[in-house]
Amino acid sequence: MSADYSNVPLVIPALNPDNRIHTFIRSLREFGFDTIIVVGDGSDELHKDGVFRELNEQGEVVLLRNYKGKGVALKDGLSYVNEHFPDCIGVVTADYDGRQSAASVRDVAAKLLEGEKFVLGTRDIAGSNISKKMRRGYKLVEWTFRILYSKKIKDIQTGLRGISKELLPRFIEIKGNRYEYEPRMIVEAVREDIPICEVEVGAINPIDAGDETIEVSDNYHPFSDSIKIALSLFLYFIKYAVTSISATAIDFALFFILSSYVFNNMELGICVFLSTVLARAVSSTISFMVNRKLVFKADGKIAVRNVLLYYALVTVIMLSSAELVTLFVRLFGGGKTLTKLFVDLILFFVSYQIQNRIIFKKDKK
């Protein structure tokens, strides 16, 4: 007996769609999808009077109009589902041109019916007949995500997703107006420890594409959009860097004053150690409060566990900094402050990864 998909609405963002959308919708109907929401993603007047008018006259879909950017279109579609279908199991999003087939949509929806919370229809990028620009763009985003978040996702940019009803309010609040919105959705899931179910859906194969190489999608610009997506994945890291630079400025100013004037007459090791400890005690407190709220978005009361882990990390980083600065100055000479700059730059990246993956990972709203 086939599954009942009547309680799984579909959201299809469509910028200047052609007749392929009719083919796709007919195939979806054959699989039993009753509720299909097409979002007119900023389409021009020609398409508004053409394909959209036809969809509206046929009355087989819910048509939302006048949106700009895929991220905006998706969020408005998800908002519509969240408001008008409170009893649905979840929602599936898919591209209008059939880059993911109706059968693939069915496979993703089936996972929602099985109880999965967040499902990705992962495409076979390596086996797809796509241009080198597109392939490089996908790889850039994939590796950026893997380095920053230590998780391998086969297809970060897939438009085929299944989202459970309970996740809709959270995902609707994610920032992003264009293609960067979809990767940020995955970032949110990873940071919130939301299980991600990946479903293999085969190679990219648009409707009526034939054997020709797919140079670009209708709206996706391989280089510029890939760069934007990669930069959006760096969002947390950039915030952390800005915060850390401010705290580091305080740390270096105090270190310079203490090591140059207060403890300058002491033995080198003791001078560096005391200056490092006192300077880091002040800067780390500032860094903890700002990183917790603005960078890693931890809400609620401050957990004792987090405080202990954070200051344990600070202690290890601080001692490592002091010992390495002392070692390098003795081995290579040079000024203490300049050497500290080099050492702390390395420890900066180490500290970010530990805070991101361990300390603030569980302290969520």
Short mmCIF file of all heavy atoms in Angstrom, two decimals, residues 203-242:
data_model
loop_
_atom_site.label_atom_id
_atom_site.label_comp_id
_atom_site.label_asym_id
_atom_site.label_seq_id
_atom_site.Cartn_x
_atom_site.Cartn_y
_atom_site.Cartn_z
N ALA A 203 21.90 11.88 -9.90
CA ALA A 203 22.56 13.00 -10.55
C ALA A 203 21.59 14.15 -10.82
O ALA A 203 20.38 13.96 -10.85
CB ALA A 203 23.20 12.54 -11.86
N ILE A 204 22.15 15.36 -11.00
CA ILE A 204 21.35 16.51 -11.40
C ILE A 204 20.87 16.28 -12.83
O ILE A 204 21.67 16.09 -13.74
CB ILE A 204 22.18 17.81 -11.32
CG1 ILE A 204 22.64 18.05 -9.87
CG2 ILE A 204 21.38 18.99 -11.83
CD1 ILE A 204 23.56 19.24 -9.74
N ASN A 205 19.57 16.28 -13.03
CA ASN A 205 19.02 15.95 -14.34
C ASN A 205 17.74 16.73 -14.60
O ASN A 205 16.64 16.21 -14.44
CB ASN A 205 18.75 14.44 -14.44
CG ASN A 205 18.31 14.02 -15.83
OD1 ASN A 205 18.70 14.65 -16.81
ND2 ASN A 205 17.51 12.99 -15.90
N PRO A 206 17.87 18.00 -14.98
CA PRO A 206 16.68 18.81 -15.21
C PRO A 206 15.75 18.23 -16.27
O PRO A 206 16.20 17.51 -17.17
CB PRO A 206 17.24 20.16 -15.67
CG PRO A 206 18.63 20.18 -15.14
CD PRO A 206 19.09 18.76 -15.19
N ILE A 207 14.48 18.53 -16.17
CA ILE A 207 13.51 18.08 -17.15
C ILE A 207 13.89 18.61 -18.53
O ILE A 207 14.21 19.79 -18.69
CB ILE A 207 12.10 18.56 -16.76
CG1 ILE A 207 11.67 17.91 -15.44
CG2 ILE A 207 11.09 18.26 -17.85
CD1 ILE A 207 10.39 18.48 -14.87
N ASP A 208 13.85 17.73 -19.54
CA ASP A 208 14.13 18.10 -20.93
C ASP A 208 15.53 18.67 -21.12
O ASP A 208 15.76 19.45 -22.04
CB ASP A 208 13.10 19.13 -21.43
CG ASP A 208 11.68 18.60 -21.37
OD1 ASP A 208 11.53 17.38 -21.55
OD2 ASP A 208 10.77 19.39 -21.13
N ALA A 209 16.48 18.26 -20.28
CA ALA A 209 17.84 18.80 -20.42
C ALA A 209 18.60 18.15 -21.57
O ALA A 209 19.50 18.73 -22.14
CB ALA A 209 18.63 18.60 -19.13
N GLY A 210 18.24 16.90 -21.93
CA GLY A 210 18.96 16.20 -22.98
C GLY A 210 20.34 15.81 -22.51
O GLY A 210 20.61 15.63 -21.33
N ASP A 211 21.27 15.72 -23.45
CA ASP A 211 22.63 15.30 -23.12
C ASP A 211 23.61 16.46 -23.00
O ASP A 211 24.78 16.27 -22.74
CB ASP A 211 23.16 14.34 -24.20
CG ASP A 211 22.36 13.04 -24.25
OD1 ASP A 211 21.90 12.61 -23.18
OD2 ASP A 211 22.20 12.48 -25.35
N GLU A 212 23.12 17.68 -23.22
CA GLU A 212 24.04 18.81 -23.19
C GLU A 212 24.52 19.09 -21.77
O GLU A 212 23.82 18.80 -20.80
CB GLU A 212 23.39 20.08 -23.77
CG GLU A 212 22.29 20.68 -22.90
CD GLU A 212 20.91 20.11 -23.21
OE1 GLU A 212 20.84 19.04 -23.86
OE2 GLU A 212 19.92 20.72 -22.78
N THR A 213 25.71 19.66 -21.66
CA THR A 213 26.26 20.03 -20.36
C THR A 213 25.43 21.15 -19.74
O THR A 213 25.08 22.11 -20.42
CB THR A 213 27.71 20.49 -20.49
OG1 THR A 213 28.49 19.43 -21.02
CG2 THR A 213 28.28 20.89 -19.13
N ILE A 214 25.13 21.01 -18.47
CA ILE A 214 24.37 22.04 -17.78
C ILE A 214 25.36 23.11 -17.34
O ILE A 214 26.13 22.92 -16.40
CB ILE A 214 23.64 21.45 -16.55
CG1 ILE A 214 22.79 20.26 -16.99
CG2 ILE A 214 22.79 22.50 -15.86
CD1 ILE A 214 22.36 19.37 -15.84
N GLU A 215 25.38 24.24 -18.03
CA GLU A 215 26.36 25.27 -17.73
C GLU A 215 26.07 25.94 -16.39
O GLU A 215 26.92 26.05 -15.54
CB GLU A 215 26.37 26.32 -18.85
CG GLU A 215 26.90 25.79 -20.17
CD GLU A 215 28.36 25.39 -20.07
OE1 GLU A 215 29.08 25.93 -19.22
OE2 GLU A 215 28.78 24.51 -20.84
N VAL A 216 24.87 26.43 -16.23
CA VAL A 216 24.45 27.04 -14.98
C VAL A 216 22.97 26.79 -14.82
O VAL A 216 22.27 26.49 -15.78
CB VAL A 216 24.69 28.59 -14.95
CG1 VAL A 216 26.15 28.90 -14.92
CG2 VAL A 216 24.03 29.25 -16.14
N SER A 217 22.48 26.89 -13.61
CA SER A 217 21.05 26.84 -13.43
C SER A 217 20.47 28.18 -13.88
O SER A 217 21.20 29.12 -14.17
CB SER A 217 20.69 26.59 -11.96
OG SER A 217 21.03 27.71 -11.18
N ASP A 218 19.18 28.28 -13.93
CA ASP A 218 18.55 29.49 -14.45
C ASP A 218 18.91 30.72 -13.62
O ASP A 218 19.04 31.81 -14.14
CB ASP A 218 17.03 29.33 -14.48
CG ASP A 218 16.61 28.24 -15.45
OD1 ASP A 218 17.35 28.00 -16.41
OD2 ASP A 218 15.56 27.62 -15.23
N ASN A 219 19.07 30.54 -12.32
CA ASN A 219 19.23 31.69 -11.44
C ASN A 219 20.50 31.64 -10.60
O ASN A 219 20.82 32.58 -9.91
CB ASN A 219 18.03 31.78 -10.49
CG ASN A 219 16.72 31.59 -11.23
OD1 ASN A 219 16.47 32.23 -12.23
ND2 ASN A 219 15.89 30.68 -10.74
N TYR A 220 21.21 30.53 -10.65
CA TYR A 220 22.39 30.34 -9.81
C TYR A 220 23.65 30.74 -10.56
O TYR A 220 23.91 30.27 -11.67
CB TYR A 220 22.48 28.87 -9.39
CG TYR A 220 23.69 28.54 -8.55
CD1 TYR A 220 23.77 28.93 -7.23
CD2 TYR A 220 24.75 27.82 -9.09
CE1 TYR A 220 24.88 28.63 -6.45
CE2 TYR A 220 25.86 27.50 -8.32
CZ TYR A 220 25.92 27.91 -7.01
OH TYR A 220 27.02 27.60 -6.25
N HIS A 221 24.43 31.63 -9.97
CA HIS A 221 25.67 32.09 -10.57
C HIS A 221 26.83 31.39 -9.84
O HIS A 221 27.11 31.70 -8.68
CB HIS A 221 25.80 33.60 -10.44
CG HIS A 221 24.59 34.33 -10.99
ND1 HIS A 221 24.27 34.34 -12.32
CD2 HIS A 221 23.63 35.03 -10.36
CE1 HIS A 221 23.18 35.04 -12.50
NE2 HIS A 221 22.75 35.46 -11.33
N PRO A 222 27.48 30.43 -10.49
CA PRO A 222 28.42 29.53 -9.80
C PRO A 222 29.48 30.23 -8.96
O PRO A 222 29.70 29.86 -7.81
CB PRO A 222 29.06 28.75 -10.96
CG PRO A 222 28.03 28.77 -12.03
CD PRO A 222 27.36 30.10 -11.91
N PHE A 223 30.14 31.25 -9.52
CA PHE A 223 31.24 31.87 -8.78
C PHE A 223 30.73 32.80 -7.70
O PHE A 223 31.04 32.62 -6.51
CB PHE A 223 32.16 32.63 -9.74
CG PHE A 223 33.32 33.30 -9.06
CD1 PHE A 223 34.41 32.56 -8.65
CD2 PHE A 223 33.30 34.66 -8.79
CE1 PHE A 223 35.47 33.16 -7.99
CE2 PHE A 223 34.36 35.27 -8.14
CZ PHE A 223 35.44 34.51 -7.75
N SER A 224 29.94 33.81 -8.08
CA SER A 224 29.52 34.83 -7.12
C SER A 224 28.65 34.25 -6.01
O SER A 224 28.82 34.57 -4.83
CB SER A 224 28.78 35.96 -7.83
OG SER A 224 27.61 35.48 -8.47
N ASP A 225 27.71 33.37 -6.37
CA ASP A 225 26.83 32.81 -5.34
C ASP A 225 27.58 31.84 -4.43
O ASP A 225 27.29 31.75 -3.24
CB ASP A 225 25.63 32.11 -5.98
CG ASP A 225 24.53 33.10 -6.38
OD1 ASP A 225 24.30 34.06 -5.62
OD2 ASP A 225 23.93 32.93 -7.44
N SER A 226 28.54 31.10 -4.98
CA SER A 226 29.34 30.19 -4.15
C SER A 226 30.18 30.97 -3.14
O SER A 226 30.32 30.57 -1.98
CB SER A 226 30.25 29.32 -5.01
OG SER A 226 29.50 28.43 -5.80
N ILE A 227 30.74 32.11 -3.58
CA ILE A 227 31.51 32.96 -2.67
C ILE A 227 30.61 33.49 -1.56
O ILE A 227 30.98 33.49 -0.37
CB ILE A 227 32.17 34.13 -3.42
CG1 ILE A 227 33.25 33.61 -4.38
CG2 ILE A 227 32.77 35.13 -2.44
CD1 ILE A 227 34.41 32.93 -3.70
N LYS A 228 29.42 33.94 -1.92
CA LYS A 228 28.48 34.46 -0.92
C LYS A 228 28.09 33.38 0.08
O LYS A 228 27.99 33.63 1.28
CB LYS A 228 27.23 35.02 -1.61
CG LYS A 228 27.47 36.29 -2.40
CD LYS A 228 26.20 36.73 -3.12
CE LYS A 228 26.44 37.98 -3.95
NZ LYS A 228 25.22 38.37 -4.72
N ILE A 229 27.86 32.19 -0.43
CA ILE A 229 27.49 31.09 0.46
C ILE A 229 28.64 30.75 1.39
O ILE A 229 28.44 30.55 2.60
CB ILE A 229 27.08 29.86 -0.37
CG1 ILE A 229 25.77 30.14 -1.11
CG2 ILE A 229 26.91 28.63 0.52
CD1 ILE A 229 25.41 29.09 -2.14
N ALA A 230 29.86 30.67 0.85
CA ALA A 230 31.03 30.36 1.67
C ALA A 230 31.21 31.42 2.76
O ALA A 230 31.49 31.10 3.91
CB ALA A 230 32.28 30.25 0.80
N LEU A 231 31.05 32.70 2.38
CA LEU A 231 31.19 33.77 3.37
C LEU A 231 30.10 33.68 4.44
O LEU A 231 30.37 33.95 5.62
CB LEU A 231 31.12 35.13 2.67
CG LEU A 231 32.33 35.51 1.81
CD1 LEU A 231 32.08 36.83 1.11
CD2 LEU A 231 33.59 35.60 2.67
N SER A 232 28.90 33.29 4.04
CA SER A 232 27.83 33.16 5.03
C SER A 232 28.12 32.04 6.02
O SER A 232 27.73 32.11 7.18
CB SER A 232 26.48 32.91 4.33
OG SER A 232 26.39 31.59 3.84
N LEU A 233 28.82 31.00 5.56
CA LEU A 233 29.20 29.91 6.45
C LEU A 233 30.25 30.37 7.47
O LEU A 233 30.36 29.80 8.54
CB LEU A 233 29.74 28.72 5.65
CG LEU A 233 28.74 28.02 4.73
CD1 LEU A 233 29.42 26.90 3.95
CD2 LEU A 233 27.57 27.46 5.53
N PHE A 234 31.00 31.41 7.10
CA PHE A 234 32.01 31.97 8.00
C PHE A 234 31.41 32.94 9.00
O PHE A 234 32.14 33.54 9.79
CB PHE A 234 33.10 32.70 7.20
CG PHE A 234 34.24 31.83 6.78
CD1 PHE A 234 34.27 31.27 5.52
CD2 PHE A 234 35.28 31.56 7.65
CE1 PHE A 234 35.33 30.47 5.11
CE2 PHE A 234 36.34 30.76 7.26
CZ PHE A 234 36.37 30.21 5.99
N LEU A 235 30.09 33.11 8.97
CA LEU A 235 29.45 34.14 9.79
C LEU A 235 29.84 34.05 11.25
O LEU A 235 30.26 35.03 11.86
CB LEU A 235 27.93 34.05 9.65
CG LEU A 235 27.13 35.06 10.47
CD1 LEU A 235 27.43 36.47 10.01
CD2 LEU A 235 25.63 34.76 10.35
N TYR A 236 29.70 32.86 11.86
CA TYR A 236 30.04 32.70 13.27
C TYR A 236 31.52 32.97 13.51
O TYR A 236 31.90 33.60 14.49
CB TYR A 236 29.69 31.29 13.75
CG TYR A 236 28.21 31.02 13.85
CD1 TYR A 236 27.58 30.16 12.97
CD2 TYR A 236 27.44 31.65 14.83
CE1 TYR A 236 26.22 29.92 13.06
CE2 TYR A 236 26.08 31.41 14.93
CZ TYR A 236 25.47 30.54 14.03
OH TYR A 236 24.14 30.31 14.12
N PHE A 237 32.34 32.48 12.57
CA PHE A 237 33.78 32.66 12.74
C PHE A 237 34.17 34.13 12.65
O PHE A 237 35.02 34.60 13.39
CB PHE A 237 34.53 31.85 11.67
CG PHE A 237 36.03 31.90 11.83
CD1 PHE A 237 36.66 31.12 12.78
CD2 PHE A 237 36.78 32.73 11.03
CE1 PHE A 237 38.04 31.17 12.93
CE2 PHE A 237 38.16 32.78 11.16
CZ PHE A 237 38.78 31.99 12.12
N ILE A 238 33.54 34.87 11.72
CA ILE A 238 33.83 36.29 11.57
C ILE A 238 33.44 37.05 12.83
O ILE A 238 34.17 37.91 13.32
CB ILE A 238 33.11 36.86 10.34
CG1 ILE A 238 33.71 36.27 9.06
CG2 ILE A 238 33.21 38.39 10.31
CD1 ILE A 238 32.95 36.61 7.80
N LYS A 239 32.27 36.75 13.38
CA LYS A 239 31.84 37.38 14.63
C LYS A 239 32.82 37.07 15.75
O LYS A 239 33.18 37.94 16.54
CB LYS A 239 30.44 36.89 15.02
CG LYS A 239 29.31 37.43 14.16
CD LYS A 239 27.98 36.92 14.68
CE LYS A 239 26.82 37.47 13.87
NZ LYS A 239 25.52 36.95 14.38
N TYR A 240 33.25 35.81 15.80
CA TYR A 240 34.21 35.40 16.82
C TYR A 240 35.52 36.16 16.65
O TYR A 240 36.13 36.60 17.63
CB TYR A 240 34.44 33.90 16.71
CG TYR A 240 35.55 33.37 17.60
CD1 TYR A 240 35.34 33.17 18.96
CD2 TYR A 240 36.79 33.05 17.06
CE1 TYR A 240 36.35 32.68 19.77
CE2 TYR A 240 37.81 32.57 17.86
CZ TYR A 240 37.58 32.38 19.22
OH TYR A 240 38.59 31.90 20.01
N ALA A 241 35.94 36.33 15.39
CA ALA A 241 37.20 37.02 15.13
C ALA A 241 37.13 38.47 15.59
O ALA A 241 38.06 38.99 16.21
CB ALA A 241 37.54 36.95 13.64
N VAL A 242 36.01 39.15 15.26
CA VAL A 242 35.86 40.55 15.66
C VAL A 242 35.87 40.68 17.17
O VAL A 242 36.52 41.56 17.75
CB VAL A 242 34.56 41.14 15.07
CG1 VAL A 242 34.28 42.52 15.64
CG2 VAL A 242 34.66 41.20 13.55
#
